[in-house]
Amino acid sequence: ASFTISLHKVDNTTVMIKLRPSVSSSCRIRIKNVIRSDLKIKPGENVSFTFTCSTPEKYFIMEIQKNIDCVSGPCPFGDVHLYPPGLPHLNRTYVWDVKASTKAGLELKFSTPWLRQIEPGETCPDSISYNISSCIDEATVNIGTFCRNGSVSRVKLLGGVLLSLHLPWHSFLMTSGFSIANRASIKRLCIIESTLKGESSITLMSPNYPLGFPEDELMTWQFVVPSNMRASVFFHNYSLSNCERKEERVEYYIPGSPSNPEVFKLSDSQPANIAGSFNMSLQGCDQDAQNPGILRLLFQVVVQPPQVDENVTHLVDLSKEKNMTVTIHLEGWPRQMPLMSEPICLICKDPRTCDRVLTLASGAAYRISFLCKDLSRLRITAEKGIGCMDIRWCQRKIYSLSVPKAITQLPIQLHKFIWKLLATDLINVEITSPSLKLQQHLPEQRCNTSYSYSIVSATPETELNVGVFCPGGSIEKIQMRNNITISLKTFGKGFINESVPQDLKMSFVPHIKDECTFTVSPNPKAKVYLQTPNWPYGLPPYVSISWFIVVPSKQAARLGFSKDRMGIACETGRAYLNIKEETLGAEETVRREDELLPQPRDMHHSFWVNISNCKPVDKTQLTLQFWVTFADKQIDLGIILAVVAGAGVLAAIGLTVCCVKKKKKKTQNPMVGVYNANVNTQMPGKKGLFGKGRQNNESHVYAVIDDAVVYGHLLKESNGSVAPEVDVYRPFDGPIGSLPPSPPPFSFRKDIKRSSNTEEEPPLLMDTDQDTYTFAHQKSGQSKDDGDENEKDKGDTSMPLLENKEQDGLGE
């Protein structure tokens, strides 16, 4: 196809066609018989040409530049047209270079659908874009790049303007979409007007972004907002230059405000919940010549209708809390930031201070409100620190790890509450759950509650993930070393109802031996699974973990392991499994990492399970899981019969003792414990019952006076005889009968029926632990037995009978 471009000289327009950068020159321009790779048509020229290919848009681009001089002559104000007509369908750029005096201002007014500013490198959906620059003297400042379909309705500039419109080859746009008007001096770099209708969100940038804003310059954004809407400003990216004089700042002019202009630093939280239109200005400073730095700003303006309950405030009283922060944010924060095009949820701690994220510190009370249609998108994350540097001050103190009511009463779901427990090396942490107890979350026993606890023990070198736990299990207590982080995470709205009886407690305790110790008191009807911390990555080297399993007295536990071996190989040291019941004389079961683990076994007492790690070789980690079940103890029938028989024997003994005592009380003249040296204490017919002679044994010594008899000085005199001296043994001088006297009666012995026939052998007494006399020593100064002339029947009475360990029996 042939094209003809005719330019009037008065239009001061130049057309240039040239090859695309980095494209081969397989297509050319033919003017009559001349082949060319580019073409420039100046004002007043008329040129006809063709392309040597059928798809010139792949090879060529076109630039149409119009120079407008508003300094030496009148400006062609009004709508700007796309001139000249009949251009070939190439990617083309229209450029309007307007020269104007700095004493006057130029206004670019855009027709609907207006413009939307984009970041450098971003492209427009329809590939149609505008670029606006300000020209003051020889300096050019890039005001910004814009797409269609936005809110920017006018741009006012000081001095000249360089405006370009980029159109793709397939665009059939016939108008420029803007007009130029003359205005009085604006006394600043530029004014960008943005008209926001209804609920919307826009992003704007400072001139030259991401490069620096011109030194000591001033610019303004005007926001036209319906009076029944609310606007909020958020700074997303900014940097400051190094100022020698003045200070970089942002000024707001808000109609009806008593303190216009309101001045803010770029680091401040910017105004929010603004009713109606307002202006915002950015002021630069005089920069350091040696190190100027960069002043730049990217911000967002959000317009939304007022909430139905915008005057409703919620009290968050943190005045009695210490070392605590409460952050209210959108779901997914901070990993996922919401798109700026999404409907915004704002949290306000006063009517004009609102943000997407609000952090409240302990020690004060706040009244907050929400500018959000859907509060279910908001979450709460809180953090509290508890420390102990001296065990004397905090050992007996018990801390409640429960969520404060100031948080649970808010109409927002709690996402996470984190307790950071800090202590010195010799102070450890003990966590208890006396009533609810804790359940370890495992594939075999999953938590189905609306919240759980994640517990991590950390040092500067290592981190031990103790596990995930939820209420309603068997773990009563966990003792841990190092600094501990406990994170309560919720999984639904039911947390508020389920968390009412929260009973997790924490205290600081002295140093413990193991890295972690669990106290487990299972439900007798449940099967409890327990596993080593840091699952599935394995225990760190040289870490020791213990479990104490409480077994009820009437039950027996069965302990088993989920695999046959530990599954590791040690590079240094040994890994051990130790099992021991907590009872006297219990044997300890020990297994090394190269041995088979014990088979399931019954445990009749509370017991310990300890796992100690070595330094494993690469790619092997110590992970172990075991289970515990309970059953009632089975009582043996033989044991029952033995217990019944023993009870019968004890009853018979008791009856006999009672009879003997009753008989004694009826005796008129009770026996006196006075020693008779002439009595034969050998059992008749049983020669040699005592292995020693009388000189070598103490069978002739009495050391006990019957309990019914008090010493002789308390006895009444009978037949004129004189009472014997107290506590003195004397020989018996009376007549000796043919039978030995009965030994002092013992309340714990059975009565033995005696026969008057001297030839009949009395029954032999068995030597038992109970058949013992209780005797007293004869003092060393007392006289020896002299009533027996036979030397072999005499004995040494200087030692008590009970101390003679070789005595085997006694005779009656």
Side-chain angles (χ1 to χ4, degrees), residues 90-355:
L90 304 176
N91 288 349
R92 54 201 182 276
T93 301
Y94 291 89
V95 179
W96 293 272
D97 187 356
V98 182
K99 306 294 184 183
S101 170
T102 56
K103 296 180 180 179
L106 291 177
E107 178 184 282
L108 305 177
K109 185 177 181 180
F110 297 91
S111 57
T112 54
W114 299 327
L115 302 182
R116 173 177 62 89
Q117 188 172 8
I118 61 173
E119 296 186 48
E122 188 178 352
T123 59
C124 298
D126 58 2
S127 300
I128 299 176
S129 63
Y130 294 84
N131 184 268
I132 303 173
S133 298
S134 173
C135 301
I136 302 175
D137 299 329
E138 299 298 326
T140 301
V141 178
N142 181 21
I143 302 300
T145 301
F146 302 82
C147 299
R148 298 194 301 172
N149 296 319
S151 63
V152 176
S153 54
R154 287 191 292 183
V155 177
K156 303 173 185 178
L157 301 109
L158 182 66
V161 176
L162 187 65
L163 187 148
S164 59
L165 170 62
H166 303 277
L167 297 177
W169 68 270
H170 53 77
S171 174
F172 293 93
L173 188 65
M174 304 303 295
T175 60
S176 65
F178 71 95
S179 62
I180 300 178
N182 187 19
R183 290 291 181 264
S185 177
I186 58 176
K187 299 181 180 179
R188 59 199 67 202
L189 176 64
C190 65
I191 299 175
I192 298 176
E193 180 183 275
S194 186
T195 302
L196 298 127
K197 293 183 177 181
E199 189 170 1
S200 57
S201 172
I202 62 170
T203 301
L204 296 166
M205 285 146 273
S206 59
N208 277 345
Y209 188 89
L211 302 178
F213 186 69
E215 180 180 7
D216 196 24
E217 273 290 0
L218 172 67
M219 73 158 295
T220 299
W221 289 271
Q222 292 180 337
F223 299 100
V224 180
V225 181
S227 59
N228 63 338
M229 303 297 285
R230 301 292 181 266
S232 302
V233 180
F234 304 98
F235 287 3
H236 292 295
N237 188 15
Y238 69 88
S239 62
L240 304 175
S241 57
N242 299 314
C243 298
E244 283 190 343
R245 293 188 304 112
K246 301 181 183 180
E247 185 179 11
E248 295 166 337
R249 63 190 184 274
V250 180
E251 298 179 353
Y252 291 88
Y253 180 85
I254 303 174
S257 173
S259 57
N260 280 325
E262 296 184 19
V263 180
F264 291 80
K265 296 180 180 179
L266 275 73
S267 57
D268 292 338
S269 180
Q270 303 302 308
N273 202 22
I274 303 171
S277 303
F278 66 98
N279 294 348
M280 172 184 143
S281 298
L282 176 64
Q283 174 67 65
C285 67
D286 290 336
Q287 298 174 349
D288 184 353
Q290 301 298 324
N291 184 21
I294 293 176
L295 170 61
R296 60 186 171 191
L297 172 63
L298 183 147
F299 66 99
Q300 181 186 16
V301 177
V302 177
V303 176
Q304 57 192 133
Q307 304 303 305
V308 175
D309 56 351
E310 67 172 334
N311 295 324
V312 176
T313 59
H314 302 270
L315 177 63
V316 184
D317 189 357
L318 305 179
S319 57
K320 296 182 180 179
E321 300 289 344
K322 295 181 179 179
N323 301 322
M324 179 175 167
T325 59
V326 177
T327 302
I328 305 173
H329 54 85
L330 284 170
E331 187 177 9
W333 175 90
R335 296 186 309 274
Q336 299 175 355
M337 290 302 295
L339 299 175
M340 286 184 273
S341 58
E342 292 182 5
I344 195 167
C345 274
L346 300 180
I347 309 102
C348 308
K349 65 179 178 180
D350 60 59
R352 290 278 301 281
T353 306
C354 305
D355 209 335

Side-chain angles (χ1 to χ4, degrees), residues 421 428-434 437-440 453-457 464 466-470 474-481 484 486 504-507 509 512 514-520 530 533 545-547:
L421 314 178
N428 300 138
V429 172
E430 178 178 286
I431 300 169
T432 59
S433 181
K437 300 183 185 179
L438 296 177
Q439 171 185 306
Q440 191 171 11
Y453 298 100
S454 174
I455 303 176
V456 176
S457 170
L464 179 68
V466 179
V468 176
F469 305 86
C470 58
S474 305
I475 301 173
E476 289 185 343
K477 181 170 61 177
I478 307 175
Q479 290 182 319
M480 294 167 287
R481 291 161 56 181
I484 308 298
I486 302 175
L504 199 64
K505 312 290 183 186
M506 187 280 300
S507 58
V509 296
I512 61 174
D514 295 321
E515 196 78 20
C516 186
T517 301
F518 299 84
T519 299
V520 185
L530 298 165
I545 308 292
S546 292
W547 292 263

Side-chain angles (χ1 to χ4, degrees), residues 467-582:
V468 176
F469 305 86
C470 58
S474 305
I475 301 173
E476 289 185 343
K477 181 170 61 177
I478 307 175
Q479 290 182 319
M480 294 167 287
R481 291 161 56 181
N482 309 320
N483 295 327
I484 308 298
T485 299
I486 302 175
S487 301
L488 183 153
K489 186 176 181 181
T490 65
F491 302 101
K493 296 181 180 179
F495 166 73
I496 296 177
N497 296 327
E498 290 186 17
S499 64
V500 172
Q502 286 183 82
D503 74 335
L504 199 64
K505 312 290 183 186
M506 187 280 300
S507 58
F508 293 101
V509 296
H511 187 72
I512 61 174
K513 179 182 71 173
D514 295 321
E515 196 78 20
C516 186
T517 301
F518 299 84
T519 299
V520 185
S521 179
N523 185 330
K525 298 182 180 179
K527 185 174 185 179
V528 178
Y529 288 88
L530 298 165
Q531 70 183 16
T532 51
N534 236 39
W535 190 281
Y537 306 106
L539 288 177
Y542 309 117
V543 165
S544 177
I545 308 292
S546 292
W547 292 263
F548 179 65
I549 316 296
V550 178
V551 180
S553 59
K554 296 182 179 180
Q555 291 191 312
R558 189 160 181 82
L559 168 68
F561 293 86
S562 300
K563 57 183 181 180
D564 297 333
R565 296 180 179 271
M566 295 189 196
I568 64 167
C570 290
E571 179 181 320
T572 307
R574 288 284 194 179
Y576 288 97
L577 166 70
N578 300 68
I579 304 171
K580 185 176 182 181
E581 287 187 293
E582 194 169 70

